[in-house]
Amino acid sequence: MADDLTTSLASGSIRFTGLGSGTDFDSMITKLIEIEQVRTKRLESWRSDWEAKSDAFDSLSSNMLSLKTSLDSMNTTDEFLTKNAVSSNTTALTATAGSTAEESTHQVDVLSLATNDMHMGSVIFSSPDKIISDGAAGAFVFTAGSRQVTVNVTSTTTLTQFASLINSDADNRNYVRASVVNDGSGYRLQIRGMNLGAGNDFIVDNSATSANLLTNFAQGQFIETQNAGNARLRVDGFPLDPPTPSEDILKATFTGKTTADTITTTDGTFKLAYDGTLYSVDVTAADTYASLAGKINTAVGFSMATAADVSGNVELTLTGEAGSDKQISIISSPGTTVGALQPGAFAQIQGATDGYFERSTNSISDIVSGVTMNLASIGSSTITTSLDPQAVTAKVQTFVDAVNSVLQEIKDQTQVTTVGENVSGSLLTGNYGMQMIQQKLKNILAEKGVGFDYDMDPLVSLGSVGITTDTSQGSATFGLLVFDSGAFTAALKTDPDAVARLFSADNYPSTKEMVDGVAVESSNFNFESSIKGITQAGEYSVSYTVGAGGDITSASINGFPASIDGTKIVATGDGNAARGLSLEVINLTAGTYSGSAQIKSGKTQELIDELKRLTDSTTGTLEVLKDNYQDIMDSIDDKIAYEERRLALLEKNLRLRFANLEAVLGTYDNISTQLSSQISSLSSKS
């Protein structure tokens, strides 16, 4: 019987009916286990609390990332300080304004658009599948701007295949596009230059192209339907009539050479394009810089080149004739084979123009400061640029609303509610992590901007533009930002650039020194450059000493020794927040000088940087807290698992003990029945 009982216990099949003893032990065991489950339920409730806190941090993290996304759209002055540019004639041009555009009007006359070179073949083919090379292989060589391209054809290449070979050639790289066009009389090869602007000409190199291809595709067999030309403009009355055309001037300097020195040790070629024509100059190992200039002039037919000895160097200068179409293009290898004469050796000293403002594009952003003009057709227009205060105010309202969304969530999760004498907290009331996050955000919102200076900057905090924190207890917006649009509009009207810097300075630099107790911009040094991502925003002390000879003998930035490069001093040193900051010293009078340099970070970028740190998936405060909470929940899970094992064992033990008790009670019940029967039998005999 004991073996049967053990087997039943192991299989979990022991159940009590109460028939043996009349006692419902099954219900009794169930109740005892329920009592023992109190600890498990307490652990499960505790885990649920920690899980709710972790979920709350997930929600806050999502909200903070949404805030970061909103701030990313306004963390530069161009994004923040919206300005309008209105064209009076949108048929001629449209315009957009950046943050540096001044409030003004500009008269713009569009005299021509930038165009690409276009050529149509004069030879008509009866079919696009017509073989083009008279049954022999050959090479078609052309230049596009300063690039030379060679397209090899076979004896069976058709017109369609020829166009495809031009387009797919590795050296072409979309300098030109070829297509086969049916004009009704037959099929022609059309060539279109892909780059706008004067000098980007398509020219067939007749001397390098195979003779069997020249019949159909020599330079003279193409009709130029559009010349590559510059956009030409008159802006605010300049130039006056008549304009003065300018010449293209290119100069190459050869260090340590004289005009009598030879150029190369091996024979080669110098190739250039000028006024729609290719010129190839043979350069021998015996040629000097002086003789090369003579050969160039002979090739082009006028005095274009000069070679001069200047300060121990040779200057080879190429000067074209006046006019926009007189561009000089040095053809790169394999056109020019002499290494010293490649295009990179020449610097453009002056560009060829017709005397107007000229550009090789129809999108022009470097004539009117801060304004991009998109030219559409010949015509005149007045461009009016102005600040868009409504758009800027809307951006600030977005800033305030996005920040308040995060602050409201923190407030909801941590607030304490008092009803009469009853005081109750929220899910994360008193949570250290939430308090830390809240305080960091509040500090950024309330404090002076990083790198801003009370003496030098007219606006240094959000409070100075009407953004404050509601400190009224009981107010629905208590602890949130309040936006005074009137105060902001007034500040924007007074100094829009200062407002833009406060929000979106984006490493805006400044310098400072004290003169007779008054803070002024430094007259001893200027900001030269900084390295974004390396140089941190902040205010840094600057000190340097100039010796009797006018040389900087020592310098420091932010308390670290600075490197000295001529008149430049550069912040160095591990742990130096100013590292990479470069300053140009302008006062080289003997003595020691000091001051400070500021790199400003707008409030949007300050918040973005803090949000990155808080929400970082590895080291962020929220992630660390969630990891801690997960560790706690894992520990609780272990305790719950232990309790479940303990209760399972307890139930087994109880069932075994009560099974034994049931058996004992059954035995005694049988004995009782037997005794009762025997007593009854004795009574009946008497």
Side-chain angles (χ1 to χ4, degrees):
M1 179 177 179
D3 289 341
D4 293 341
L5 185 60
T6 302
T7 301
S8 297
L9 175 64
S11 65
S13 63
I14 297 178
R15 294 292 182 266
F16 303 100
T17 64
L19 296 177
S21 64
T23 303
D24 187 359
F25 290 118
D26 199 57
S27 296
M28 188 180 299
I29 292 170
T30 299
K31 293 298 182 183
L32 288 171
I33 294 301
E34 287 178 358
I35 293 171
E36 289 293 328
Q37 284 177 333
V38 170
R39 177 174 171 78
T40 302
K41 291 178 179 178
R42 188 183 298 118
L43 288 170
E44 289 174 343
S45 177
W46 189 27
R47 189 193 190 286
S48 179
D49 289 342
W50 286 108
E51 188 170 19
K53 291 177 182 179
S54 182
D55 290 343
F57 278 124
D58 279 336
S59 176
L60 178 60
S61 178
S62 177
N63 209 345
M64 291 170 75
L65 289 173
S66 294
L67 169 60
K68 178 182 173 298
T69 299
S70 295
L71 298 176
D72 280 335
S73 67
M74 61 179 80
N75 65 332
T76 66
T77 52
D78 267 346
E79 292 171 330
F80 179 82
L81 198 58
T82 306
K83 291 186 177 179
N84 288 327
V86 178
S87 169
S88 64
N89 181 6
T90 56
T91 301
L93 66 91
T94 58
T96 57
S99 63
T100 59
E102 300 175 355
E103 295 194 40
S104 59
T105 60
H106 300 276
Q107 178 65 34
V108 179
D109 300 319
V110 181
L111 304 175
S112 67
L113 300 179
T115 54
N116 61 325
D117 214 25
M118 297 186 68
H119 294 258
M120 183 68 77
S122 61
V123 176
I124 300 172
F125 292 83
S126 60
S127 167
D129 298 324
K130 186 76 172 177
I131 294 174
I132 62 169
S133 58
D134 293 333
F140 178 66
V141 183
F142 65 89
T143 61
S146 62
R147 192 171 190 84
Q148 178 169 300
V149 180
T150 299
V151 178
N152 295 310
V153 302
T154 69
S155 60
T156 59
T157 299
T158 66
L159 183 62
T160 297
Q161 291 170 338
F162 185 38
S164 179
L165 287 171
I166 292 173
N167 295 335
S168 62
D169 190 273
D171 289 332
N172 184 5
R173 298 178 187 174
N174 280 333
Y175 280 82
V176 303
R177 294 291 293 175
S179 58
V180 177
V181 177
N182 183 352
D183 67 351
S185 64
Y187 296 87
R188 303 172 186 259
L189 181 70
Q190 183 187 55
I191 301 290
R192 305 185 310 279
M194 300 304 290
N195 293 319
L196 304 178
N200 289 307
D201 298 312
F202 165 79
I203 306 173
V204 178
D205 189 340
N206 289 346
S207 64
T209 295
S210 300
N212 59 313
L213 292 174
L214 289 176
T215 303
N216 295 324
F217 304 112
Q219 178 67 20
Q221 298 290 12
F222 284 95
I223 302 166
E224 186 177 55
T225 57
Q226 179 173 278
N227 184 35
N230 290 333
R232 298 182 303 153
L233 301 90
R234 176 180 283 112
V235 179
D236 294 332
F238 183 86
L240 300 175
D241 279 329
T244 302
S246 60
E247 306 88 358
D248 204 10
I249 302 176
L250 306 182
K251 181 182 291 185
T253 301
F254 303 93
T255 305
K257 301 292 185 179
T258 71
T259 54
D261 288 335
T262 57
I263 302 167
T264 179
T265 58
T266 58
D267 293 350
T269 301
F270 176 62
K271 187 178 289 187
L272 62 91
Y274 177 74
D275 195 19
T277 302
L278 278 177
Y279 298 95
S280 185
V281 178
D282 292 330
V283 183
T284 69
D287 274 322
T288 64
Y289 292 97
S291 65
L292 172 64
K295 284 186 173 183
I296 293 172
N297 294 337
T298 299
V300 299
F302 70 97
S303 183
M304 171 186 281
T306 60
D309 293 308
V310 180
S311 302
N313 304 317
V314 171
E315 290 185 354
L316 178 64
T317 304
L318 305 180
T319 304
E321 298 168 306
S324 182
D325 59 345
K326 308 295 184 181
Q327 306 281 335
I328 303 172
S329 297
I330 311 298
I331 308 303
S332 61
S333 179
T336 295
T337 60
V338 179
L341 300 176
Q342 291 297 315
F346 291 83
Q348 186 176 55
I349 307 303
Q350 178 178 286
T353 72
D354 289 334
Y356 299 96
F357 286 103
E358 296 194 21
R359 297 293 185 271
S360 61
T361 175
N362 291 315
S363 180
I364 302 171
S365 58
D366 59 351
I367 295 179
V368 178
S369 178
V371 175
T372 297
M373 297 180 288
N374 297 298
L375 311 185
S377 66
I378 295 173
S380 298
S381 176
T382 299
I383 299 175
T384 303
T385 57
S386 62
L387 179 67
D388 187 345
Q390 290 79 18
V392 178
T393 302
K395 288 180 185 291
V396 175
Q397 186 65 62
T398 298
F399 173 93
V400 171
D401 291 344
V403 170
N404 278 343
S405 178
V406 172
L407 295 178
Q408 183 66 56
E409 183 161 359
I410 295 174
K411 179 180 176 181
D412 292 341
Q413 297 290 2
T414 60
Q415 68 181 354
V416 176
T417 303
T418 302
V419 179
E421 297 182 355
N422 297 323
V423 179
S424 60
S426 300
L427 180 62
L428 294 171
T429 298
N431 182 278
Y432 170 74
M434 292 293 274
Q435 292 174 345
M436 180 175 63
I437 292 169
Q438 184 180 45
Q439 192 58 50
K440 285 185 175 182
L441 296 180
K442 284 186 174 181
N443 288 345
I444 292 174
L445 296 170
E447 293 175 350
K448 173 175 70 74
V450 176
F452 284 76
D453 186 275
Y454 286 112
D455 295 323
M456 302 295 290
D457 292 297
L459 302 173
V460 298
S461 67
L462 293 176
S464 56
V465 293
I467 300 176
T468 56
T469 300
D470 187 354
T471 58
S472 301
Q473 290 277 2
S475 168
T477 57
F478 174 66
L480 305 183
L481 295 182
V482 177
F483 180 36
D484 184 343
S485 60
F488 176 79
T489 299
L492 186 63
K493 184 176 181 180
T494 301
D495 195 337
D497 291 332
V499 173
R501 285 195 297 271
L502 176 62
F503 282 91
S504 310
D506 195 23
N507 292 346
Y508 184 87
S510 63
T511 62
K512 170 186 172 182
E513 66 176 314
M514 301 301 294
V515 177
D516 298 328
V518 178
V520 296
E521 184 178 355
S522 177
S523 60
N524 297 318
F525 55 87
N526 291 329
F527 170 84
E528 200 267 337
S529 66
S530 64
I531 304 174
K532 195 164 186 178
I534 300 295
T535 309
Q536 299 177 28
E539 183 169 10
Y540 304 111
S541 61
V542 178
S543 177
Y544 71 93
T545 299
V546 180
D551 295 327
I552 303 171
T553 58
S554 65
S556 68
I557 299 177
N558 196 32
F560 290 75
S563 68
I564 301 169
D565 181 12
T567 59
K568 294 180 182 179
I569 58 176
V570 182
T572 60
D574 293 338
N576 187 359
R579 186 162 64 96
L581 172 60
S582 178
L583 303 173
E584 179 76 25
V585 174
I586 53 179
N587 184 355
L588 293 172
T589 305
T592 299
Y593 305 89
S594 62
S596 62
Q598 299 81 33
I599 301 294
K600 306 180 199 302
S601 176
K603 285 299 175 181
T604 53
Q605 192 59 49
E606 275 191 71
L607 285 168
I608 288 170
D609 291 341
E610 187 59 45
L611 291 169
K612 284 180 180 178
R613 287 189 288 269
L614 292 173
T615 59
D616 186 273
S617 60
T618 303
T619 61
T621 302
L622 286 170
E623 196 63 31
V624 170
L625 289 169
K626 286 171 57 183
D627 287 344
N628 290 341
Y629 290 177
Q630 188 60 54
D631 289 343
I632 293 172
M633 288 188 286
D634 289 343
S635 177
I636 295 172
D637 287 338
D638 291 341
K639 290 181 173 64
I640 291 173
Y642 170 79
E643 283 297 307
E644 289 174 345
R645 292 193 301 272
R646 185 183 70 82
L647 290 175
L649 182 59
L650 175 61
E651 183 177 359
K652 288 180 180 180
N653 289 335
L654 286 175
R655 290 192 178 277
L656 179 59
R657 291 165 64 186
F658 280 105
N660 289 333
L661 177 59
E662 177 78 4
V664 171
L665 291 175
T667 300
Y668 284 116
D669 188 54
N670 289 336
I671 293 172
S672 175
T673 300
Q674 291 175 6
L675 289 174
S676 295
S677 176
Q678 291 175 3
I679 292 171
S680 291
S681 176
L682 290 174
S683 297
S684 63
K685 289 180 180 180
S686 61

